[in-house]
Amino acid sequence: MAPIGTELLEPTSVAVQTLNAVLDAPLTIGDLLQPERFITQTINGIQAGFVLFLIASGLTVILGILDVLNLAHGELYALGAFVASSVGGYLVGTGANAIFSPPTSFSPVASFGFVLVLILVALIAALIMVPIGALIETTLIRPIYDRAQVYQLVLTFALLLIIADVVELVWGSDPQQPAFATIQAINDIPSFDIIGFGNIPTLVLMVILVSLGLGLALFWFFGRTKTGRIMRATAIDREMATALGVSTDRTFTLVFALGAFLAGFAGAMQFVITRAQTGMGEQALVLSFVVIVVGGLGSLRGALVGAVVVGILQNWMIVINPDFQTAAPFAVMVLILLVKPEGLFGSWGERT
């Protein structure tokens, strides 16, 4: 098994290898402090953090409102990545039957239009996850809400294994990668190279902006919409919400479906920037636990801060000492548990 969270950081690893090849020298803490390398590692860390935020936000919303620790959440993320590979394979290609072909060189209209196509692929993959999440909640999770939490853990762990086997049965054990022409079409768009950071691909910027946009939409949903406020009220006081006429069954189904959507979208983003592969869900799930402990159980704001901290920290550790790349986030988690056990932003409900 690869070190935890490595595929979330793979673009960063490539960037580091490129820099090493150029400089041909061992890396030290002093190397990280070089402006170009520091900015490169930090930007790649932000990208990894935003993908992690999308995964952790779904997990933390389900935990905060439903009080269910969904161990299958990581596999929903992996399933989203594989679904995106199939959707992308159907919509995007270079053959005569392709609906959308990637442009072979930069053209403002064609290139930015192709970015929208990739966002559409991610949205379709995430939307496919919605009925899957709703089905899991209504048929498997709902009957055991009143039982001890250990039943939920056992059930969702079983789901984790089932989804992992289904993924391998349908897509096989070989990784699914986006076509090189697809990646190149995005990276042909000038972005970081304009300001002298040509070693950072435009794909990284695309994932940051798209994930940021979805994150802002999530905050708006819970802060400004009636449905979002009902969900928050249910998280604060379930009995009071029921007494006021809120359908907890419908709310819980919506919450679980939303969590599946976020996991699926994160998986699609990860597929676009690296690949879909078996085992990716387990690694993402473990890092998501770190994020929600650091940020606060059930806190969206905490998930955002925690995910970015974990992403940047892991990328810095690649330069400082790769042997501690996996251990560093867990060290932060232990420190938070000792100093501020409720996490940086407390629990869900009163603050998003």
Side-chain angles (χ1 to χ4, degrees), residues 25-66:
L27 296 174
T28 63
I29 294 179
D31 291 319
L32 178 63
L33 298 179
Q34 294 175 7
E36 182 178 356
R37 178 165 291 155
F38 179 80
I39 293 173
T40 299
Q41 292 304 105
T42 303
I43 290 174
N44 282 317
I46 292 171
Q47 175 267 308
F50 270 113
V51 174
L52 189 55
F53 164 66
L54 294 181
I55 307 169
S57 60
L59 185 66
T60 204
V61 164
I62 292 173
L63 178 62
I65 299 179
L66 275 61

Side-chain angles (χ1 to χ4, degrees), residues 235-316:
I236 295 171
D237 192 331
R238 188 179 303 183
E239 292 182 0
M240 180 62 74
T242 304
L244 292 175
V246 173
S247 170
T248 53
D249 286 349
R250 186 186 303 169
T251 302
F252 287 0
T253 303
L254 281 174
V255 168
F256 207 92
L258 175 62
F261 174 88
L262 293 169
F265 197 92
M269 285 290 99
Q270 191 60 33
F271 163 72
V272 169
I273 203 162
T274 56
R275 65 175 75 88
Q277 63 181 15
T278 54
M280 62 188 290
E282 301 161 17
Q283 300 172 23
L285 178 68
V286 174
L287 276 183
S288 296
F289 285 148
V290 175
V291 166
I292 62 177
V293 170
V294 170
L297 298 177
S299 169
L300 269 184
R301 197 179 307 175
L304 175 60
V305 174
V308 173
V309 167
V310 169
I312 292 177
L313 181 61
Q314 283 204 308
N315 272 270
W316 284 354

Side-chain angles (χ1 to χ4, degrees), residues 44 69 73 97 153 163 210 277:
N44 282 317
L69 187 56
H73 193 74
N97 297 325
L153 293 175
I163 295 173
V210 173
Q277 63 181 15

Side-chain angles (χ1 to χ4, degrees), residues 180-225:
F180 176 76
T182 298
I183 299 172
Q184 192 61 44
I186 302 301
N187 288 336
D188 282 341
I189 301 174
S191 58
F192 290 109
D193 50 336
I194 296 177
I195 53 176
F197 292 94
N199 58 319
I200 305 176
T202 304
L203 207 51
V204 170
L205 179 62
M206 188 198 84
V207 171
I208 290 175
L209 294 179
V210 173
S211 301
L212 177 63
L214 182 56
L216 291 174
L218 198 59
F219 280 103
W220 172 81
F221 173 74
F222 281 110
R224 300 291 182 183
T225 68

